[in-house]
């Protein structure tokens, strides 16, 4: 598998998508970037509107979204021949939000009237803060029967793709529009290929996962970068971009880099805000810049910039790091060995720190982005201290040791994570994270805790065997932990977690690593809302059953926050055994009855089972699962269906 690449900044993303009329420019510098982008936007007003509306109003139905698509298309048709009309001069995003507000009943139905009474910037921020990252309120992504999918697709491709975009957009409200369009284009390719094959299902099973992987990876990255931007402002965004670009393009000159980073950072806002049109324009401009200046950026870009534009985008995102210049010294003396470091810093603090980060990042291509930022922060703090002393050079001479110490600490964290992965294996590791994350942030929804745990395990599975183990794990796990901190609003989860999110973007992971169980948490006194076990468990497909089990386990930790990993594992084993055993039996009912035939001194009268919650409260979980086995089927059903829902 390809090494994870985090750079998602550029899209050579003009050109055509669902329209095939546009001849494709392949040499970017030759085309008039603005007009090509505008034509692309005009041609794709439908898809772009679907994205924006589904991301702003995630609950809206496809039909409701379509109403707005029609309106935007009408507007386009009005504006194309005469751009001077007043309604054509306004920001597309403002026009769209106004139209969303004007749909009768919609603001009330989906509870965003409070946004519609505001204007301009305030309205934009309101729509943004209305986006919900935790999409547990939506049904799972519809996975229909593949044959039927292909029939629908072939009958009405355009409509089908729009529906696909809609379903992805509402579940990924922060995904940048260009990324989503790339995903849709990839999906279109998959559908085109698979729908002509004999074994359609199998084809989708092999070809769809890379698309989903691309989606998830980019979605996580965009979310976290926007989160950092909104919480810590443009300076942090700049640092991230400097570290990324310097590592990827170590030959670029600092001046060139500064220009590019400035461009990128200034274009980022539109994307983070959810303004699809501004985001498209910004991204396209950046790509154009990159390809225009490719010779001074990287020798590897040539291949990307020659591709058709859509492929070029993905190409740059996944481009390998360029080789370091041969004459690059192991370290830049200017920052640690010179006598005048403090004077240089005083002259232009921001620029000086940026240059340090650039020089350090291009020399350390094996480090993660967060690690580079940690070093940058270290250096800034060090100088703040040293420049106050009588003999600053004596003080900052030891900078590198300090950097190494920080890096050692991060390496150790990753080594431990990967060792645990080797020792425990995927399943037990998942339970480890269920316990760890739920204890750390029991206030989060069960859905979020299970999916986060699983994503961390998947990340370790992908990274630990790699040569670039450290960077891979640190980059990815940092992204995932970033989910705790929120994107469009400062989440308040509990004081300890909030503190980790607030204090430093770079050191977030170290901070989380030190977190123990939340001290402020009071478990619910009854389990009634946390649990649910339906009799359809036996009919549940493998994946569904597993998901239910996972939710169940996380709920147990919420209820018993002192449970150990072993406790949870043994509970899980018992639980699984009972379900497996009984579902395999002729009738689950009979099976449970049989279990009941061998009581072992545990009182299984219904009264003792009056509330599962009480039982779990009073007894240890092992006992509970033994009781489970001994209860008569009807009793169990009755209690489970009445008392608890899974
Ligand atoms: C509607 O939105 C407001 C403001 O965000 C919020 O306070 C309120 O709880 C929401 N109501 C419902 C029913 O979700
Ligand atoms: C810091 O670590 C690097 C790479 O491991 C090593 O080459 C260098 O000598 C170390 N420097 C100090 C001062 O410990
Ligand atoms: C979150 O808090 C930071 C300060 O810690 C503040 O600058 C920022 O505006 C807040 N963001 C939101 C979306 O409220």
């Amino acid at each position: 598998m390809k090494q994870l690449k985090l750079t998602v900044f550029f899209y050579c993303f003009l050109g055509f998508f669902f329209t095939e009329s546009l001849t494709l420019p392949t040499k970017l510098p030759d085309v008039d970037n603005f007009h090509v982008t505008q034509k692309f936007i005009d041609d794709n007003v439908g898809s772009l509107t679907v994205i924006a509306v589904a991301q702003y109003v995630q609950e809206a139905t496809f039909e409701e979204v379509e109403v707005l698509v029609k309106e935007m298309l009408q507007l386009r048709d009005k504006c194309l021949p005469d751009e001077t009309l007043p309604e054509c001069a306004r920001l597309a995003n403002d026009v769209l939000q106004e139209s969303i507000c004007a749909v009768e009943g919609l603001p009330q139905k989906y509870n965003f009237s409070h946004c519609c009474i505001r204007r301009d910037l305030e309205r934009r921020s309101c729509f943004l803060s209305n986006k919900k990252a935790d999409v547990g309120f939506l049904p799972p992504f519809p996975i229909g029967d593949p044959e039927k999918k292909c029939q629908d697709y072939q009958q009405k491709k355009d409509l089908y793709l729009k529906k696909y975009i809609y379903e992805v957009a509402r579940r990924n409200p922060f995904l940048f529009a260009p990324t989503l369009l790339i995903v849709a284009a990839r999906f279109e390719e998959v559908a085109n290929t698979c729908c002509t094959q004999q074994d359609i299902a199998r084809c989708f099973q092999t070809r769809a996962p890379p698309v989903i992987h691309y989606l998830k990876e980019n979605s996580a990255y965009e979310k976290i970068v926007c989160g950092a931007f909104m919480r810590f402002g443009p300076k942090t965004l700049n640092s991230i971009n400097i570290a990324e670009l310097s590592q990827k393009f170590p030959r670029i000159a600092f001046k060139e880099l500064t220009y590019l980073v400035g461009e990128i950072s200034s274009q980022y806002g539109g994307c983070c805000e959810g303004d699809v049109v501004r985001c498209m324009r910004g991204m396209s401009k950046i790509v154009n810049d990159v390809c225009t200046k490719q010779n001074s950026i990287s020798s590897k870009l040539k291949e990307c910039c020659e591709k058709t534009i859509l492929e070029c985008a993905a190409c740059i995102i996944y481009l390998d790091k360029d080789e370091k210049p041969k004459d690059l010294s192991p370290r830049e003396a200017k920052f640690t060995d010179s006598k005048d470091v403090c004077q240089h810093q005083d002259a232009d603090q921001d620029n000086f720190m940026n240059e340090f980060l650039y020089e350090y990042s291009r020399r350390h291509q094996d480090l993660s982005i967060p690690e580079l930022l940690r070093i940058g922060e270290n250096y800034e703090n060090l100088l703040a201290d040293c420049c106050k002393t009588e003999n600053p050079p004596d003080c900052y001479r030891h900078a590198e040791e300090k950097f190494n110490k920080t890096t050692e600490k991060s390496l150790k964290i990753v080594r431990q994570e990967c060792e645990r992965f080797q020792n425990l294996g995927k399943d037990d590791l998942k339970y480890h994270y269920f316990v760890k994350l739920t204890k750390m942030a029991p206030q989060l929804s069960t859905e979020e805790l299970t999916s986060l745990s699983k994503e961390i395990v998947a990340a370790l599975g992908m990274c630990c065997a790699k040569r670039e183990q450290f960077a891979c794990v640190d980059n990815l796990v940092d992204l995932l932990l970033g989910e705790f901190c929120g994107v469009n609003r400062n989440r308040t989860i509990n004081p300890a977690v909030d503190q980790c999110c607030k204090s430093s973007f770079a050191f977030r992971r170290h901070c989380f690593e030190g977190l123990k169980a939340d001290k402020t948490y009071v478990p619910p006194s009854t389990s009634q809302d946390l649990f649910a076990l339906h009799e359809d468990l036996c009919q549940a497909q493998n994946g569904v059953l597993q998901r239910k089990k996972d939710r169940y386990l996380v709920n147990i930790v919420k209820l018993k926050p002192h449970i150990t990993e072993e406790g949870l594992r043994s509970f899980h084993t018992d639980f699984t055994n009972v379900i497996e055993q009984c579902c395999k039996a002729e009738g689950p009912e009979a099976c449970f009855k049989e279990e009941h035939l061998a009581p072992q001194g545990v009182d299984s009268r219904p009264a003792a089972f009056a509330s599962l919650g009480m039982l779990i409260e009073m007894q240890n979980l092992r006992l509970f699962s033994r009781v489970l086995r001994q209860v008569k089927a009807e009793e169990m059903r009755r209690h489970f269906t009445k008392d608890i829902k899974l």
Side-chain angles (χ1 to χ4, degrees):
M1 214 185 311
K2 267 197 84 108
Q3 146 82 24
L4 181 79
K5 289 289 149 47
L6 291 172
T7 313
V8 198
F9 305 120
F10 337 98
Y11 299 87
C12 327
F13 195 84
L14 324 165
F16 72 152
F17 227 87
F18 306 123
T19 54
E20 279 164 34
S21 54
L22 194 64
T23 354
L24 211 59
T26 53
K27 284 207 192 97
L28 276 166
D30 295 342
V31 301
D32 180 345
N33 178 265
F34 183 81
H35 285 112
V36 177
T37 312
Q38 191 54 46
K39 167 129 178 62
F40 175 83
I41 291 169
D42 289 338
D43 287 343
N44 290 281
V45 164
S47 305
L48 291 171
T49 307
V50 172
I51 295 174
V53 179
Q55 289 186 330
Y56 282 137
V57 192
Q58 291 157 273
E59 299 90 337
T61 63
F62 184 67
E63 289 66 33
E64 285 161 342
V65 173
E66 273 191 309
V67 172
L68 287 149
V69 170
K70 279 212 188 81
E71 269 186 44
M72 291 297 128
L73 286 172
Q74 277 167 7
L75 183 68
R76 175 197 66 183
D77 294 341
K78 211 158 122 195
C79 291
L80 269 181
D82 186 3
E83 285 172 28
T84 58
L85 292 170
E87 60 263 51
C88 304
R90 298 183 52 205
L91 274 180
N93 198 37
D94 286 354
V95 175
L96 180 70
Q97 290 184 347
E98 197 165 294
S99 306
I100 295 177
C101 285
V103 179
E104 201 176 326
L106 205 65
Q108 293 75 24
K109 184 172 173 194
Y110 299 123
N111 194 24
F112 59 89
S113 319
H114 57 288
C115 293
C116 295
I117 53 176
R118 303 184 191 183
R119 288 273 163 274
D120 305 323
L121 183 64
E122 280 195 0
R123 179 185 283 172
R124 277 175 238 145
S125 330
C126 183
F127 266 100
L128 176 63
S129 67
N130 230 23
K131 291 189 178 185
K132 300 166 208 55
D134 185 3
V135 292
F137 62 93
L138 291 176
F141 196 92
I143 315 167
D145 166 48
E147 311 242 343
K148 172 86 172 50
K149 256 195 325 208
C150 281
Q151 272 174 16
D152 292 350
Y153 174 65
Q154 274 154 347
Q155 271 166 15
K156 283 199 164 160
K157 284 195 179 179
D158 222 42
L159 180 70
Y160 192 88
L161 286 170
K162 280 214 176 65
K163 269 198 177 140
Y164 179 81
I165 291 175
Y166 158 79
E167 297 290 1
V168 176
R170 64 203 297 238
R171 288 177 180 80
N172 296 276
F174 300 102
L175 194 65
F176 294 178
T179 315
L180 212 164
L181 290 178
I182 293 182
V183 168
R186 297 241 170 119
F187 175 78
E188 188 184 12
E189 273 171 35
V190 171
N192 282 339
T193 311
C194 290
C195 291
T196 59
Q197 307 232 322
Q198 283 285 321
D199 194 343
I200 294 178
R202 186 153 176 186
C203 177
F204 272 106
Q205 270 160 23
T206 39
R207 287 180 185 250
V211 181
I212 296 167
H213 181 74
Y214 181 88
L215 166 72
K216 286 196 159 169
E217 203 172 282
N218 287 288
S219 166
Y221 184 73
E222 290 165 4
K223 266 200 302 206
I224 267 42
V225 176
C226 287
F229 176 47
M230 289 186 212
R231 192 181 278 269
F232 298 102
K235 193 172 163 220
T236 297
L237 179 64
N238 262 330
S239 303
I240 296 173
N241 288 338
I242 290 169
E244 283 265 9
L245 293 190
S246 311
Q247 209 182 36
K248 193 162 190 151
F249 304 129
R251 290 158 197 255
I252 194 174
F254 179 60
K255 210 169 150 216
E256 200 80 77
L257 174 91
T258 310
Y259 169 77
L260 213 52
V261 166
E263 276 291 290
I264 293 170
S265 299
S266 72
Q267 303 291 358
Y268 232 86
C271 295
C272 290
E273 213 178 82
D275 183 335
V276 294
V277 169
R278 231 174 92 207
C279 184
M280 294 297 302
R281 287 216 183 96
M283 290 306 184
S284 142
K285 168 132 188 8
I286 291 163
V287 162
N288 193 53
D289 281 352
V290 168
C291 283
T292 311
K293 293 167 187 275
Q294 52 172 300
N295 291 337
S296 53
I297 298 176
S298 163
S299 55
K300 293 206 154 99
L301 276 166
K302 188 156 178 288
E303 206 182 307
C304 292
C305 294
E306 276 172 359
K307 281 181 192 268
T308 57
I309 283 163
L310 179 58
E311 283 161 15
C312 165
C315 175
I316 298 183
I317 293 170
Y318 283 84
L319 193 66
D320 283 331
K321 290 172 190 143
D322 202 2
E323 287 94 36
K324 284 190 258 191
K326 289 215 173 54
D327 54 356
L328 196 63
S329 62
R331 66 189 168 136
E332 175 54 63
K334 178 175 169 184
F335 296 101
T336 48
D337 302 348
S338 148
K339 277 212 232 29
D340 321 318
V341 171
C342 294
Q343 286 88 322
H344 284 147
Q345 188 205 209
D346 278 347
D348 187 351
Q349 157 108 10
D350 281 351
N351 201 49
F352 186 75
M353 288 302 159
N354 288 345
E355 195 177 350
F356 169 78
L357 189 56
Y358 156 76
E359 295 289 1
Y360 200 88
S361 304
R362 63 203 286 248
R363 286 173 168 77
H364 293 89
Q365 291 181 298
D366 53 332
L367 292 183
S368 63
I369 301 303
E371 186 59 27
L372 294 170
L373 301 185
R374 285 170 209 139
I375 306 276
E377 218 172 287
N378 264 348
Y379 183 63
E380 196 166 345
N381 292 337
L382 182 74
L383 286 197
D385 289 341
C386 289
C387 293
K388 276 188 275 190
T389 63
E390 279 187 10
N391 189 352
D394 223 28
C395 172
Y396 55 66
R397 204 151 36 86
H398 305 292
E400 203 183 337
E401 283 159 38
K402 283 212 152 56
F403 303 157
N404 283 6
K405 234 164 94 188
T406 306
T407 305
E408 265 312 310
K409 184 169 175 189
S410 309
L411 285 171
K412 194 170 149 212
I413 295 175
V414 168
R415 260 200 309 272
Q416 279 171 349
E417 282 164 337
C418 284
E419 269 166 23
R420 206 180 289 123
F421 176 77
Q422 308 289 331
N423 294 339
L424 292 182
K426 280 196 171 145
D427 281 339
D428 282 352
L429 190 66
K430 188 170 74 179
Y431 306 135
H432 166 82
Y433 282 106
F434 282 174
V435 172
K436 183 175 164 143
L437 299 184
T438 308
K439 283 183 176 184
M440 198 197 270
Q443 297 83 357
L444 292 183
S445 75
T446 304
E447 198 53 56
E448 203 174 345
L449 288 164
T450 47
S451 82
L452 208 54
S453 304
K454 282 191 272 190
E455 281 175 39
I456 293 181
V457 173
L460 295 176
M462 194 174 90
C463 294
C464 285
K466 285 215 166 99
R467 209 168 47 82
E468 293 193 28
Q469 184 193 68
F470 171 69
C472 184
V473 172
D474 202 45
N475 278 332
L476 211 47
V477 176
D478 189 63
L479 287 192
L480 296 172
L481 284 180
E483 303 257 339
F484 274 126
C485 301
V487 184
N488 54 338
R489 55 192 124 180
N490 294 326
R491 284 177 96 174
T492 46
I493 295 170
N494 63 53
V497 168
D498 297 349
Q499 189 54 36
C500 283
C501 292
K502 244 192 322 230
S503 50
S504 155
F505 180 72
F507 283 94
R508 194 163 65 185
R509 200 154 124 72
H510 287 196
C511 183
F512 274 118
E513 189 59 26
L515 283 190
K516 300 271 176 306
D518 175 34
K519 288 197 187 69
T520 63
Y521 179 65
V522 183
S525 56
T526 96
S527 60
Q528 300 210 352
D529 293 322
L530 288 180
F531 289 90
L533 194 62
H534 285 303
E535 39 185 73
D536 59 359
L537 257 181
C538 287
Q539 276 84 50
Q541 300 280 327
N542 222 342
V544 177
L545 181 61
Q546 190 58 52
R547 265 208 302 282
K548 286 191 176 182
K549 270 195 219 164
D550 290 347
R551 293 179 54 83
Y552 201 95
L553 293 175
V554 165
N555 282 340
I556 299 248
V557 185
K558 283 187 170 185
L559 200 65
K560 302 275 309 176
H562 299 297
I563 192 172
T564 61
E565 257 174 74
E566 289 71 41
L568 192 71
R569 276 209 290 274
S570 90
F571 176 73
H572 174 255
T573 312
D574 284 352
F575 186 62
T576 307
N577 287 345
V578 172
I579 293 177
E580 256 178 27
Q581 198 181 324
C582 288
C583 292
K584 260 195 233 135
E586 277 186 21
E589 216 170 305
C591 168
F592 285 124
K593 266 186 187 141
E594 256 171 53
E595 288 284 334
H596 183 57
L597 284 179
Q600 279 157 14
V602 177
D603 189 355
S604 61
R605 282 169 306 170
F609 204 69
S611 155
L612 180 62
M614 219 169 72
L615 198 78
I616 296 179
E617 283 302 310
M618 289 179 336
Q619 317 206 11
N620 76 33
L621 291 163
R622 197 150 181 117
L623 191 58
F624 158 62
S625 60
R626 218 178 300 140
V627 170
L628 243 186
R629 259 180 253 167
Q630 290 157 351
V631 166
K632 283 183 193 166
E634 294 101 275
E635 281 165 15
M636 179 163 159
R637 291 241 174 101
R638 202 169 55 238
H639 285 291
F640 276 174
T641 45
K642 190 181 69 192
D643 237 21
I644 32 186
K645 343 181 265 283
L646 186 67

